[in-house]
Amino acid sequence: MIERWNRDQVLALAPDTSSAKAAQGVSSPGKWSGIGATADALWGECKGSGSTPYRACVDLSEPAYRCSCPSRKFPCKHALGLLLLWSADGVPAADEPADWVAEWLEQRRERAVKATARAAEAEAPRAAGTGADPAESRRAGQREQRVAAGLSELERWLADQVRQGLAGSRRHDHWDDLARRLVDAQAPAVAGALARLSSVLSGEDWPARLLGEYALLHLLCVAHRRLPEVVGEARDGVDTGLLQRVRERVGFPVTKEEVLAGETVRDVWDVLGRRDEEHDRLIARRVWLRGRNTGRAALVLSFAPVGQALDASLVTGTALDADLAFYPGTSPLRALVATRHGGAPAAPAPGSTPQEVLEEVAGALAGDPWADSWPVVLDAVTPAGNGSWSLGDSSGGLALHPSAGTPWRLIAASGGHPLTVAAEWTPRGLRPLTTWDEEGRVIVL
């Protein structure tokens, strides 16, 4: 039986604030008929403006949603309203789902089986040990040459920027031409990093921040240029994970099939929080996890065009017993959920002192100098501020990200008393994600 979510967890699924507000307007029992819930499904019919009520259902195991309303938002206000009603214990239990719900669930199971079969078929030739396609090997070699040439140009360009000074970088289109050439050179990750540099110009400290970004790009160029000689030394103890990380930061992809074919880590994973970002009409969702027994951090990424549904299967404040498959590299963080063994009782995630958090982040950066975020959990800390805000204890504190402003919700939850806080570490400070009240219930920040 899936543990019932609380109100904050449900509202965290809303695509925007207007959807969250509208959902509360349709969460009263009088709006619904034919409602019911089983161990992994939830359904009901909501009275709308038309003569026929809207049918909404939720697959709680993902979660996934379906509604007959014309809304393009996902989940829509009816699915959210139904979840709010369920969170308030307003949906009666049922032995079996309604026929139209059972049909939808069966279709979802069939699609999952077909997807698994397709993945197995794609992996079969590799498992059989067939030789590489000569044409594919030739294309791979050509790409390596284009990437090397593109990064060599970037390295010279960076040297020119430092030699000439940063004043000319105040134009927001300063990097556009070079970014397009790097796309042509098939180094998309580096091109994306360049394209995002315009966001650095908004702060008063932009010269220092921009110089830091240039330094990291230069480090990546040098690391890639030295790959051939380092690969030759790999037998002498060079970390092959770092080699993989360099290639990933350049833009060489690792397929999901390759990741899932590797080793997995089973644990009870606490879902600490999530953050959505938009880049070039594409929404990227970051969901942060933490293993209760292993203490490992994990990041599950999903992408979708603006206006389309994102993966909402990992709900903030819940926990799941699952096997995670991590992408290769030093300080592995990004992961895929390989196998779910079921839910687990929600509880505050185990925390660390500010000093222990700094040591953990330092270790992560030693393995991946280009990391720009890392999930952490601070135990027994209080928010404090005088112009800028931090989270800390008697031994010290960690600054909050400037975008956090005055963290009113966190201050209210604390009431001046220590509490456990999950946050996303970034070079500019912590972004608070969640905290827990005295009864262990999650509060989304």
Side-chain angles (χ1 to χ4, degrees), residues 254-275:
V254 179
T255 66
K256 288 185 176 181
E257 290 76 17
E258 290 175 321
V259 175
L260 293 173
E263 295 183 0
T264 59
V265 179
R266 182 172 180 178
D267 203 341
V268 174
W269 300 93
D270 290 299
V271 184
L272 303 180
R274 76 181 193 196
R275 182 161 62 89

Side-chain angles (χ1 to χ4, degrees), residues 128 350 352 369 378 381:
S352 306
L378 289 151
V381 291

Side-chain angles (χ1 to χ4, degrees), residues 93-367:
D95 294 331
E96 297 291 338
D99 292 343
W100 57 277
V101 179
E103 181 181 357
W104 176 63
L105 293 173
E106 181 61 28
Q107 291 172 351
R108 286 182 52 76
R109 281 191 287 268
E110 290 177 356
R111 286 195 295 269
V113 170
K114 290 179 181 178
T116 302
R118 286 195 297 269
E121 291 174 1
E123 185 64 24
R126 185 179 307 173
T130 57
D133 182 356
E136 184 176 344
S137 298
R138 184 171 59 254
R139 287 192 295 270
Q142 291 171 345
R143 181 182 181 182
E144 294 282 359
Q145 293 175 0
R146 284 194 289 267
V147 169
L151 293 184
S152 179
E153 179 186 2
L154 174 59
E155 193 173 349
R156 292 192 299 271
W157 184 88
L158 289 169
D160 290 341
Q161 298 304 300
V162 174
R163 187 181 304 112
Q164 297 167 6
L166 302 180
S169 303
R170 289 308 302 269
R171 298 194 336 267
H172 284 262
D173 61 350
H174 181 67
W175 306 274
D176 290 356
D177 289 341
L178 181 57
R180 282 191 287 268
R181 292 198 295 275
L182 285 167
V183 170
D184 294 338
Q186 294 184 279
V190 183
L194 268 178
R196 291 190 292 271
L197 286 180
S198 59
S199 63
V200 173
L201 304 179
S202 58
E204 294 182 358
D205 59 343
W206 71 266
R209 292 178 57 198
L210 184 60
L211 190 59
E213 295 293 339
Y214 282 174
L216 288 173
L217 285 170
H218 182 264
L219 177 64
L220 184 59
C221 292
V222 173
H224 185 270
R225 173 162 49 81
R226 292 195 59 205
L227 277 182
E229 60 184 89
V230 174
V231 169
E233 300 170 0
R235 292 186 299 272
D236 298 328
V238 174
D239 188 352
T240 56
L242 182 58
L243 307 182
Q244 181 62 50
R245 181 65 72 200
V246 170
R247 290 179 62 81
E248 179 187 342
R249 293 292 180 182
V250 169
F252 288 93
V254 179
T255 66
K256 288 185 176 181
E257 290 76 17
E258 290 175 321
V259 175
L260 293 173
E263 295 183 0
T264 59
V265 179
R266 182 172 180 178
D267 203 341
V268 174
W269 300 93
D270 290 299
V271 184
L272 303 180
R274 76 181 193 196
R275 182 161 62 89
D276 295 349
E277 289 184 330
E278 179 180 346
H279 295 297
D280 299 327
R281 302 292 297 168
L282 190 70
I283 302 293
R285 169 164 292 174
R286 296 182 175 202
V287 181
W288 300 108
L289 309 177
R290 193 91 184 183
R292 287 189 188 173
N293 302 315
T294 62
R296 289 193 63 166
L299 165 66
V300 177
L301 274 174
S302 59
F303 303 90
V306 174
Q308 293 190 17
L310 279 158
D311 177 23
S313 61
L314 299 172
V315 181
T316 300
T318 61
L320 70 157
D321 180 1
D323 296 328
L324 295 192
F326 285 82
Y327 281 72
T330 49
S331 302
L333 180 64
R334 187 182 174 188
L336 297 174
V337 180
T339 306
R340 294 172 183 259
H341 302 285
S352 306
T353 66
Q355 183 59 39
E356 290 170 336
V357 164
L358 287 175
E359 292 173 358
E360 178 184 350
V361 171
L365 291 175

